[in-house]
Amino acid sequence: MTRKTDNGRRIKATETTFAVVETLADLECARLSDIAAEVGVANSTASEHLSTLQDHGYVVEDDDGYRLGLRFMDTGTQAKRYYDTLLSASKPVLEQLVNDTGETVNLITNENNMAVYVDRLFGTRGVPTDSWVGKRRPLHMLAGGKAILAELPEEELDAVVEEHGFPAASEHTITSRDELEAELETIREEGISFNDRESHKQIRAVGTAIVLDDGVYGSVSIAGPAQRFRGSYFREELPNMLLGVVNEIELKLTYR
């Protein structure tokens, strides 16, 4: 479901430009004809958009085709600065959590009704996944995302569901509003959320939200292989550690 501007008007050319960018992000490097076919436009149209992006430093053309330029790294760094306060308060605490667990730790926020990874830290036992800083994922399929959803006012939760629905990444992903509501109620009672192979069939995670009087700042989650994240380690030990960590972050944000 696409999101409209407040007045309902959209700029088709801009949408095509972003479709070209997202295609290059998926393909990493591609020739003109492949980009045009993927976006669904004529070669001449794709060429015009690529040339404009290239003129501004956002696309590079070499012998293998087109790829994204490092100008995105510059603008991405500027975007990330919005979260400097959250990052400075959480970084040392999350580093200690990584040292204590050896696992992968994620700092997530809600931006435009999607979960966005603001920071990721890997311990000695941490495993790579298909997520990275800046990656956007549906809130309802992540431990950290569900922790955020549980803290949102009803109208904001409605907006998330209306805009994105319930896309599934595995057979374990929540796919209905009733199922989501039941889980959010449990999260509100316990302060902890779980991702039980919902975003990836081999990954489990535990999360909790960072909440101050003025709203939800984000969430922290610990993720790892489903075969290791089980029993009391998954359901008790990691949640208890996580609650202490997030409480410390909230105190740092409160008295910054």
Side-chain angles (χ1 to χ4, degrees):
M1 184 175 183
T2 55
R3 187 178 186 180
K4 295 183 178 180
T5 54
D6 289 342
N7 58 13
R9 293 179 299 182
R10 303 178 69 86
I11 302 173
K12 181 61 177 177
T14 303
E15 290 188 327
T16 302
T17 297
F18 281 116
V20 169
V21 169
E22 290 169 0
T23 296
L24 286 176
D26 289 338
L27 300 180
E28 295 186 4
C29 186
R31 298 194 179 279
L32 172 63
S33 58
D34 295 325
I35 297 168
E38 191 72 21
V39 176
V41 297
N43 284 2
S44 58
T45 301
S47 178
E48 291 172 353
H49 286 272
L50 287 164
S51 295
T52 303
L53 287 163
Q54 189 173 358
D55 288 344
H56 290 275
Y58 288 100
V59 163
V60 175
E61 183 182 11
D62 54 30
D63 292 340
D64 295 325
Y66 294 91
R67 59 180 172 82
L68 296 182
L70 292 179
R71 183 70 182 272
F72 280 105
M73 185 178 293
D74 180 28
T75 55
T77 299
Q78 297 298 324
K80 193 176 179 183
R81 286 180 179 171
Y82 177 81
Y83 297 101
D84 276 353
T85 299
L86 177 61
L87 284 165
S88 62
S90 62
K91 192 75 169 183
V93 187
L94 299 186
E95 288 175 345
Q96 185 61 54
L97 180 62
V98 168
N99 290 335
D100 291 342
T101 64
E103 306 289 1
T104 299
V105 173
N106 304 302
L107 179 64
I108 295 170
T109 192
N110 172 19
E111 189 171 85
N112 291 332
N113 293 334
M114 292 284 284
V116 182
Y117 290 84
V118 179
D119 202 3
R120 301 197 81 206
L121 293 81
F122 295 91
T124 55
R125 300 200 296 173
V127 295
T129 65
D130 59 349
S131 297
W132 53 85
V133 172
K135 175 77 171 182
R136 301 167 76 246
R137 304 288 299 275
L139 287 156
H140 75 284
M141 66 175 61
L142 303 178
K146 288 188 286 186
I148 291 172
L149 289 176
E151 298 293 338
L152 294 182
E154 191 70 20
E155 62 272 16
E156 293 184 27
L157 178 60
D158 290 341
V160 174
V161 173
E162 181 182 353
E163 182 172 358
H164 298 294
F166 297 97
S170 80
E171 64 270 28
H172 303 285
T173 309
I174 290 173
T175 56
S176 73
R177 180 65 180 262
D178 289 344
E179 190 180 1
L180 177 64
E181 290 285 4
E183 187 156 344
L184 294 184
E185 185 61 33
T186 301
I187 295 169
R188 294 182 189 109
E189 292 173 358
E190 300 179 356
I192 288 290
S193 61
F194 294 95
N195 168 2
D196 190 356
R197 299 164 296 165
E198 296 165 55
S199 58
H200 190 290
K201 63 182 180 180
Q202 295 180 348
I203 297 293
R204 286 190 171 109
V206 55
T208 191
I210 303 169
V211 184
L212 272 63
D213 290 342
D214 57 348
V216 186
Y217 277 60
S219 65
V220 177
S221 65
I222 309 172
Q227 287 300 314
R228 190 168 70 240
F229 276 48
R230 55 197 308 178
S232 61
Y233 179 65
F234 178 47
R235 294 290 176 176
E236 297 175 17
E237 185 177 341
L238 289 177
N240 288 336
M241 296 177 69
L242 194 56
L243 287 170
V245 162
V246 168
N247 180 242
E248 186 173 345
I249 294 172
E250 289 171 342
L251 288 171
K252 287 189 172 187
L253 287 169
T254 299
Y255 298 104
R256 62 187 181 273

